[in-house]
Amino acid sequence: MSTAQADPVSDDASHGEHGHDHDHPAFLAHHFDTPEQQFDSGKLGIWLFLVTEVLFFSGMFVAYAIFRNLRPDVFVGSSEFLNTKLGAINTGVLLFSSLTMAWAVRCSQTGEHKKLTGMLAATLSCSMVFLGVKAIEYSHKWGMGLLPAGTFFYDPANPHPTTDQLETLGFTSGTAFFLHNSLYFLCAPFLIVLLGVVAWLILSIVKGNKFQTACAMPLTIVCLSFFGGVGLGVILESGSEEGHGAAHDVAGHHGEGVAHSDAVPSVIDDGKVAAPALNDDASETSVLERLATDSTNTGLMSDVAARQAQASVASGAVVRGDDTNFEGGISEASANVLTQRQAGKFFSIYYCMTGVHAIHILGGIAVLVWLLIRSVRQDFNSRYFGPVDYVGLYWHLVDLIWIYLFPLLYLIR
Amino acid sequence: MSDHAHSSDGHGGDGHDFAHPMPVSMLLSVFFALVILTVVTVAQASFDLGSYDVLVVMAIATLKATLVALFFMHLAWDKPFNIAVFVGSFIFVGLFVIFTLGDSDMTSDSFEPKIDEVVPMVAESN
Amino acid sequence: MSSGSIPPGSVVKDPGFPTKQENYLTNSKGILSWMFTLDHKRIGVMYLVGVSLAFLFAGILALLIRYHLMEPDGKLFKGANANNMYNQLFTLHGAVMVFLFIIPSIPAALGNFLVPVMLGAKDVAFPRLNLASFYLWCAGAIFFVAALFGTGLDTGWTFYTPYSTTTDTSVIAATMGAFILGFSSIFTGLNFIVTINTMRPPGMTWFRMPLFLWATYATSIIQVLATPVLGITLLLLIAERTLHIGIFDPEFNGDPVTYQHFFWFYSHPAVYIMILPAFGIISDLIAVHSHKRIFGYRFIAYSSIAIALLGFLVWGHHMFTAGMSPMTTIIFSALTFTVSVPSAIKVFNWLATMYKGSISLTTPMCFALAFIFLFTIGGLTGLHLGTLATDMHLHDTYFVVAHFHYVMVGGTLVAFLGGVFHWWPKMFGKMYSEAGGRLSSLIIFIGFNLTFLPQFVLGSRGMPRRYATYDPEFAYLHQMSTYGAMLLGIGLLTALVVLLHSLFRGKDAPANPWGAATLEWQCTSPPPFYNFERAPVVGDPYDFSKIEWDSENERYVTVEPERETVPEEKPAIQPAH
Ligand SMILES: [Cu+2]
């Protein structure tokens, strides 16, 4: 360690001698001798910060490992409720944002100011799309009661309870209203921010303040991207509504005692749902009612319901390719698994991990906005690009954590 | 430090230039590699690999993470000390995981879970 | 050796006294100039005030605990709620002492003041982050006070589940506080690592750093690596209480032992956050006041790093009786013994340093000697607790209480006081009364032993910790302990009075009152706000050969035989023994 360290310092020293006739540039803090020393300090600082982030997340990975090790079947069963398509899309979005971020660092080093602003705006937009998709995922699950253990109330027989039904479960009317309309609550802050930014944009145009216009313009696009993400989520989720339909089909067959293997592959298939849409709520309820009335065999019923639930809810991309597996694993597992202390535990961990990750995305957005404004001000050059680089490293780490979260949460069998 | 290729397109003037812009082509190829690996990891989920499943998934994720770290995070050209700092953190994560998971695994026989009544069709469970 | 007077014909180097404009304490005025200061020295002073207040508060709680334990049935709290009140009392004492005092005491207060000056840098690498971590400390303190004035806190400082998920007291406020304090600690550590790595002036190689810097560096490694795990643990605990996530709560098939793993993954390394900087202080104090080169510099330096890293392997020794698997307990017990090796190396090196040194029994040295004695007892009794068989008997008894107080109070607090007395002239430019200082160290030493030695006996006889009442047969030892605590309180008060008195009546301190060779003594007392106008010439921090006592002005000065135009040729990296 010591020898590794001796190099940069002696390096610094020699540069200090070379650079004595330079005056202290504005971007160089008083207690540093050279821009390189400042950059190296910041770089080591951000790496150490990333170390703390890694260890911070490690706690949740340990919790995940312990409980998955304890009850693998719970994780397999519960994971079916996560929409692989949405997860994969979000992975792609984050990877792309990492690309634009790395590119932004390049632009800051080469002094391409316009392009830097563009790249930062692209990164921000991706992060917003990510959050938009996440909002769809969360709100959908909240409405169905796929919540942490203590509040988990998912009922395969009634996956989409009304507010009145929620109140009978012991929720206050306010909470019930929130759970039922959580998407609106999630979107509201972003809408307010969007309106604010648009107002800022208009104001800056009216005032003729070029700098503010140049800041507000990309930020407007960024805020709009959130709703783009929401839209994307809705479309892909409705894709899994097709899954609903197909699953009802399955359930129907099953109820009639017909092997369902023919219908299932349309649901699975790498998350690409080919079955035609059949997502009217009427058919859904009718199927349920029929099942509920005509069968006294609770074993069969729960099996049907669980199966239907899996396919019908968010899981659109059931990741299973062959039916035998589907037959053997899930129906058994899910029947026992869809309870507070089982699936609820999975969702606890799911919300902790993705929630903390989402908070990190929000934090990243805040610093990226700060960078974007500075980039419009043309603060960065080849001797002062540290902030872009540091934020970039942070952003890549957030991406890196998602790279692990995605397969661990969405792709379990 | 010695492999730190100093670029010529900076604006450092006479000063020492410590910026090292990544070529766009490299960024793009890393991105495409990552996308392909994502597709692979989603695709492999449809094959049952039994208990190797987690290992395969984690191996692909680690490969992706390595790509991100080496190129996007510029670690391949960073100071050795910074590399040691970042990579070292995973050693401590490993300690944490191994001891805690190992102990949990060895004591899980004595674990007496509370069982929820499973009545999925009738009402909410519990 | 720094005996005798200045040889004739030699050049005396002494920076003299700072002007009002240079003095970091007076170069700008007004409360705002302190609140928004980015000067590491002022931030260090603010930390010093902050942690002292926290210590005063928690110390009063400690006295209340001891007062209550005067009688077998409890003297302070009576009636149905007595046990609850007692639980809250010791919880707040422990939590405030650990999170608000011991962890930030030496690294944040003394470290902030000393690290850049010792290093020869103008400031820490990230001054704004430094100020931010001070305000995070304040915010964390506010949360703790909120918990106190809310519904109290009765979980013990460890917040063990399942009790912490079921109790009605302010667990969330306190854990939020600890979470915030954790980030304060992380940012301080991060700052020091970067400062020591990148801000060293030319000539300050790794092995020319004073051992306090090595200790701070090792501490910072732990702060950066371990504290985030505390953060996520407390966050999950808050989630457990609010959302019932069922990770730690057995009600939802969570695992309380997992909570303990999480908690001690941080908190065992955290005891090294508490004690390592104390080692650093003692290494410097022993060398300076023995006026002799530190013995085994590299061993002490490396043992700091070794302790920091080994400290991550032994957390399970807090959980031997908590329900871990037998295999895990054996592994952790075996690993625990490895940590004693680097700790012992340090003690041997300090003793070897003093051997044949010319020891000045100044106040800091008195504290340093007390430290060695008390820490040795604290460390050796730790081996009883690391041994599986004895721990089964001693776990959760007063033996444990006595053990960690010998390390935390007899170790960290005494070293902190020694450090404060040592650097007080540098920090505030005033000399205190030596007699008063020595007296306080003596009272503290006697009071401390009187408080905690009986507790070893209590514990080995089976008195469990955290009990508000006890069997009458323990009364004698408990009363002894209480009287000792009062004496300890008097000793600490004496120290405070001596120090505060010096601020108003003390003689102006010379630049180098102790004859130390590290860089902070080469600038004026107090240092100028810029520390060093240009990067200082870095020499061997433990080479006392050029330092002579100037009896005329009652100060030590650096003496050079003759002025040389060409600097002496030195090897690039000087082996420092
Ligand atoms: Cu320990």
Side-chain angles (χ1 to χ4, degrees):
Chain A
M1 188 152 59
S2 59
T3 45
Q5 256 335 88
D7 290 328
V9 174
S10 55
D11 231 27
D12 279 354
S14 60
H15 295 165
E17 274 159 42
H18 285 303
H20 260 319
D21 34 4
H22 289 251
D23 41 358
H24 230 61
F27 55 74
L28 182 59
H30 77 99
H31 56 291
F32 291 116
D33 293 327
T34 61
E36 185 173 15
Q37 188 192 23
Q38 171 165 313
F39 174 73
D40 287 345
S41 299
K43 190 101 171 184
L44 179 57
I46 194 72
W47 276 118
L48 287 168
F49 179 70
L50 297 191
V51 166
T52 70
E53 291 285 15
V54 166
L55 278 137
F56 188 78
F57 274 93
S58 75
M60 287 180 294
F61 280 98
V62 171
Y64 174 93
I66 286 175
F67 289 106
R68 181 167 175 183
N69 184 44
L70 206 58
R71 288 297 300 275
D73 54 321
V74 172
F75 276 62
V76 171
S78 315
S79 169
E80 305 290 345
F81 287 93
L82 302 185
N83 189 332
T84 311
K85 253 188 300 178
L86 291 184
I89 286 289
N90 258 353
T91 310
V93 166
L94 269 196
L95 287 177
F96 186 72
S97 79
S98 256
L99 170 70
T100 53
M101 189 68 232
W103 205 327
V105 174
R106 186 196 145 80
C107 294
S108 71
Q109 290 168 332
T110 54
E112 299 163 90
H113 301 295
K114 275 263 155 55
K115 213 164 156 189
L116 171 60
T117 310
M119 284 300 161
L120 290 174
T123 312
L124 274 165
S125 304
C126 284
S127 65
M128 283 294 192
V129 171
F130 180 91
L131 287 181
V133 173
K134 209 87 218 134
I136 291 289
E137 287 191 79
Y138 276 0
S139 59
H140 195 174
K141 290 184 183 59
W142 294 348
M144 294 194 304
L146 296 167
L147 290 167
T151 39
F152 186 88
F153 63 84
Y154 176 68
D155 176 8
N158 182 15
H160 296 285
T162 63
T163 41
D164 292 336
Q165 285 169 329
L166 285 176
E167 281 177 54
T168 60
L169 293 178
F171 288 99
T172 62
S173 59
T175 318
F177 184 74
F178 171 78
L179 288 173
H180 205 253
N181 302 292
S182 48
L183 182 59
Y184 302 108
F185 282 93
L186 286 175
C187 288
F190 290 92
L191 189 65
I192 292 167
V193 172
L194 173 66
L195 293 177
V197 172
V198 169
W200 181 31
L201 177 65
I202 294 169
L203 210 71
S204 68
I205 292 173
V206 171
K207 274 189 181 167
N209 188 329
K210 284 230 174 76
F211 172 72
Q212 293 196 3
T213 315
C215 293
M217 197 92 86
L219 287 180
T220 311
I221 298 167
V222 166
C223 292
L224 280 170
S225 310
F226 176 82
F227 298 95
V230 171
L232 187 67
V234 169
I235 292 166
L236 290 172
E237 197 75 316
S238 72
S240 66
E241 289 294 315
E242 295 171 10
H244 270 207
H248 294 166
D249 221 19
V250 176
H253 285 307
H254 194 91
E256 290 151 29
V258 180
H260 50 270
S261 49
D262 51 330
V264 176
S266 62
V267 193
I268 0 179
D269 219 41
D270 268 346
K272 276 178 233 138
V273 179
L278 200 114
N279 53 350
D280 48 333
D281 283 336
S283 80
E284 181 180 333
T285 38
S286 70
V287 170
L288 282 169
E289 276 166 6
R290 186 160 52 81
L291 279 169
T293 46
D294 78 357
S295 177
T296 48
N297 181 346
T298 49
L300 175 71
M301 263 169 58
S302 59
D303 190 272
V304 170
R307 177 181 310 289
Q308 174 192 350
Q310 262 129 41
S312 68
V313 287
S315 70
V318 183
V319 284
R320 210 153 283 276
D322 48 345
D323 314 343
T324 44
N325 220 340
F326 191 84
E327 176 75 46
I330 301 174
S331 60
E332 279 171 17
S334 56
N336 314 321
V337 145
L338 290 176
T339 66
Q340 228 183 351
R341 291 186 175 87
Q342 313 299 335
K345 183 74 73 44
F346 173 83
F347 282 101
S348 295
I349 292 170
Y350 166 79
Y351 285 117
C352 285
M353 292 180 116
T354 58
V356 173
H357 181 263
I359 289 169
H360 278 79
I361 297 262
L362 283 173
I365 287 173
V367 280
L368 279 166
V369 167
W370 168 72
L371 277 190
L372 187 128
I373 291 169
R374 291 192 68 179
S375 81
V376 174
R377 218 166 61 190
Q378 309 203 337
D379 274 359
F380 305 112
N381 57 54
S382 71
R383 291 175 70 68
Y384 180 67
F385 56 88
V388 189
D389 203 6
Y390 312 149
V391 173
L393 288 178
Y394 169 82
W395 191 255
H396 296 313
L397 186 86
V398 173
D399 183 25
L400 208 140
I401 287 164
W402 184 259
I403 285 176
Y404 281 98
L405 287 185
F406 171 58
L408 284 180
L409 292 171
Y410 289 76
L411 302 177
I412 317 174
R413 270 171 312 144
Chain B
M1 286 291 281
S2 53
D3 56 345
H4 195 295
H6 297 296
S7 72
S8 51
D9 56 342
H11 297 244
D14 57 332
H16 170 68
D17 203 355
F18 50 88
H20 176 257
M22 298 278 293
V24 174
S25 58
M26 188 189 279
L27 293 178
L28 285 173
S29 40
V30 170
F31 173 68
F32 284 117
L34 288 169
V35 170
I36 289 165
L37 283 171
T38 308
V39 172
V40 168
T41 196
V42 173
Q44 69 78 37
S46 13
F47 301 101
D48 189 3
L49 300 171
S51 53
Y52 295 106
D53 194 64
V54 180
L55 292 179
V56 171
V57 159
M58 290 303 284
I60 296 176
T62 306
L63 187 58
K64 285 167 76 180
T66 313
L67 281 177
V68 169
L70 280 183
F71 298 102
F72 283 173
M73 296 172 97
H74 203 258
L75 206 53
W77 295 268
D78 215 322
K79 288 191 193 319
F81 187 75
N82 290 353
I83 298 171
V85 164
F86 188 60
V87 175
S89 73
F90 292 97
I91 296 171
F92 290 90
V93 173
L95 285 176
F96 188 21
V97 174
I98 289 167
F99 276 116
T100 310
L101 185 62
D103 182 52
S104 160
D105 194 46
M106 284 186 273
T107 51
S108 58
D109 294 340
S110 61
F111 184 72
E112 287 169 28
K114 295 195 176 209
I115 310 294
D116 299 290
E117 326 94 81
V118 182
V119 207
M121 273 306 264
V122 184
E124 55 108 18
S125 55
N126 211 358
Chain C
M1 281 295 188
S2 54
S3 56
S5 56
I6 306 161
S10 56
V11 183
V12 168
K13 285 211 298 194
D14 187 79
F17 295 93
T19 65
K20 247 189 147 86
Q21 284 73 42
E22 282 173 345
N23 184 342
Y24 81 100
L25 292 166
T26 50
N27 81 322
S28 56
K29 283 200 177 59
I31 182 97
L32 289 183
S33 77
W34 281 83
M35 280 177 68
F36 295 106
T37 183
L38 296 179
D39 182 356
H40 67 97
K41 299 183 286 300
R42 285 191 167 193
I43 294 172
V45 169
M46 293 197 292
Y47 262 121
L48 186 65
V49 174
V51 297
S52 301
L53 289 175
F55 178 74
L56 184 70
F57 172 65
I60 289 171
L61 294 180
L63 285 176
L64 291 178
I65 293 173
R66 286 314 323 169
Y67 179 71
H68 177 77
L69 293 173
M70 273 292 265
E71 290 172 5
D73 293 328
K75 200 165 183 177
L76 189 59
F77 305 117
K78 305 275 186 195
N81 214 20
N83 287 347
N84 286 334
M85 292 300 291
Y86 183 78
N87 287 347
Q88 298 200 3
L89 195 59
F90 77 70
T91 298
L92 267 172
H93 162 71
V96 172
M97 275 294 189
V98 167
F99 290 116
L100 285 171
F101 174 68
I102 303 184
I103 287 178
S105 62
I106 299 178
L110 291 177
N112 252 316
F113 186 92
L114 290 172
V115 166
V117 199
M118 274 189 166
L119 205 60
K122 292 196 186 90
D123 207 326
V124 293
F126 310 115
R128 282 196 203 91
L129 189 67
N130 201 14
L131 185 65
S133 46
F134 173 69
Y135 283 114
L136 282 176
W137 182 89
C138 294
I142 288 168
F143 271 95
F144 267 97
V145 174
L148 171 70
F149 288 108
T151 42
L153 178 72
D154 63 353
T155 59
W157 76 279
T158 53
F159 305 113
Y160 272 5
T161 56
Y163 187 63
S164 59
T165 54
T166 49
T167 176
D168 292 329
T169 52
S170 313
V171 175
I172 292 181
T175 41
M176 272 311 290
F179 182 81
I180 294 168
L181 289 169
F183 276 91
S184 165
S185 173
I186 288 174
F187 291 144
T188 305
L190 190 153
N191 225 331
F192 287 165
I193 293 185
V194 176
T195 306
I196 292 175
N197 261 309
T198 63
M199 308 278 289
R200 282 173 293 135
M204 179 60 91
T205 58
W206 281 92
F207 292 103
R208 275 193 192 164
M209 292 200 315
L211 287 164
F212 179 72
L213 292 183
W214 273 100
T216 309
Y217 195 79
T219 310
S220 304
I221 292 175
I222 307 175
Q223 284 176 313
V224 166
L225 282 171
T227 318
V229 177
L230 176 74
I232 191 65
T233 309
L234 296 178
L235 213 58
L236 290 176
L237 182 59
I238 292 171
E240 192 72 78
R241 270 184 79 90
T242 51
L243 299 168
H244 304 290
I245 52 174
I247 290 176
F248 301 137
D249 187 356
E251 176 60 27
F252 296 96
N253 289 348
D255 184 7
V257 179
T258 298
Y259 175 83
Q260 297 190 16
H261 275 298
F262 276 54
F263 183 80
W264 289 109
F265 181 84
Y266 162 74
S267 290
H268 181 78
V271 307
Y272 293 114
I273 297 178
M274 305 174 199
I275 195 69
L276 268 174
F279 291 161
I281 287 184
I282 297 303
S283 304
D284 274 358
L285 259 52
I286 294 281
V288 169
H289 296 278
S290 304
H291 304 283
K292 181 163 166 256
R293 170 184 294 281
I294 189 87
F295 183 87
Y297 173 94
R298 280 191 192 229
F299 278 98
I300 298 182
Y302 283 135
S303 67
S304 289
I305 305 292
I307 289 175
L309 301 181
L310 286 176
F312 280 93
L313 297 170
V314 300
W315 76 83
H317 61 219
H318 297 267
M319 305 161 56
F320 285 158
T321 61
M324 284 196 307
S325 69
M327 189 62 191
T328 324
T329 56
I330 292 167
I331 294 171
F332 274 126
S333 177
L335 287 172
T336 297
F337 293 120
T338 62
V339 190
S340 58
V341 175
S343 311
I345 287 178
K346 283 178 188 289
V347 174
F348 295 143
N349 280 306
W350 295 327
L351 296 178
T353 304
M354 287 193 290
Y355 178 66
K356 287 191 172 173
S358 59
I359 297 172
S360 320
L361 268 185
T362 54
T363 308
M365 190 61 178
C366 291
F367 278 108
L369 294 174
F371 173 93
I372 295 180
F373 185 83
L374 300 177
F375 174 74
T376 305
I377 295 180
L380 289 176
T381 51
L383 293 177
H384 298 80
L385 297 169
T387 312
L388 279 173
T390 42
D391 184 67
M392 293 298 145
H393 174 60
L394 296 172
H395 189 85
D396 267 351
T397 67
Y398 264 71
F399 191 91
V400 180
V401 178
H403 156 69
F404 71 74
H405 278 90
Y406 260 86
V407 180
M408 306 283 89
V409 182
T412 310
L413 176 69
V414 166
F416 174 70
L417 287 171
V420 168
F421 274 99
H422 183 72
W423 282 291
W424 187 265
K426 184 54 64 182
M427 293 177 103
F428 299 104
K430 296 288 181 190
M431 297 304 288
Y432 48 81
S433 149
E434 268 298 331
R438 279 180 216 166
L439 179 70
S440 74
S441 72
L442 187 69
I443 301 176
I444 288 171
F445 182 76
I446 296 171
F448 176 83
N449 281 304
L450 192 56
T451 314
F452 292 107
L453 265 181
Q455 295 190 3
F456 281 123
V457 184
L458 278 172
S460 56
R461 290 188 186 169
M463 168 81 207
R465 63 192 285 203
R466 295 182 176 144
Y467 275 44
T469 54
Y470 51 86
D471 291 341
E473 72 206 61
F474 294 131
Y476 176 69
L477 288 165
H478 266 299
Q479 282 161 7
M480 224 167 117
S481 182
T482 301
Y483 291 125
M486 288 169 182
L487 194 60
L488 180 59
I490 291 168
L492 290 166
L493 213 61
T494 316
L496 183 69
V497 168
V498 168
L499 289 175
L500 291 183
H501 179 262
S502 78
L503 286 183
F504 304 104
R505 293 285 156 80
K507 219 156 44 85
D508 279 350
N512 193 354
W514 311 120
T518 42
L519 286 180
E520 79 270 26
W521 304 103
Q522 290 183 17
C523 54
T524 55
S525 298
F529 63 92
Y530 47 79
N531 294 353
F532 303 97
E533 196 148 26
R534 59 183 49 137
V537 181
V538 183
D540 187 328
Y542 298 105
D543 177 11
F544 300 104
S545 58
K546 287 180 185 163
I547 292 166
E548 297 292 348
W549 174 247
D550 171 8
S551 47
E552 200 177 319
N553 299 308
E554 295 198 333
R555 60 180 189 181
Y556 283 91
V557 288
T558 312
V559 174
E560 281 174 13
E562 57 195 72
R563 198 178 284 279
E564 290 171 21
T565 42
V566 181
E568 214 175 318
E569 203 64 47
K570 279 179 187 163
I573 295 165
Q574 186 175 349
H577 291 239

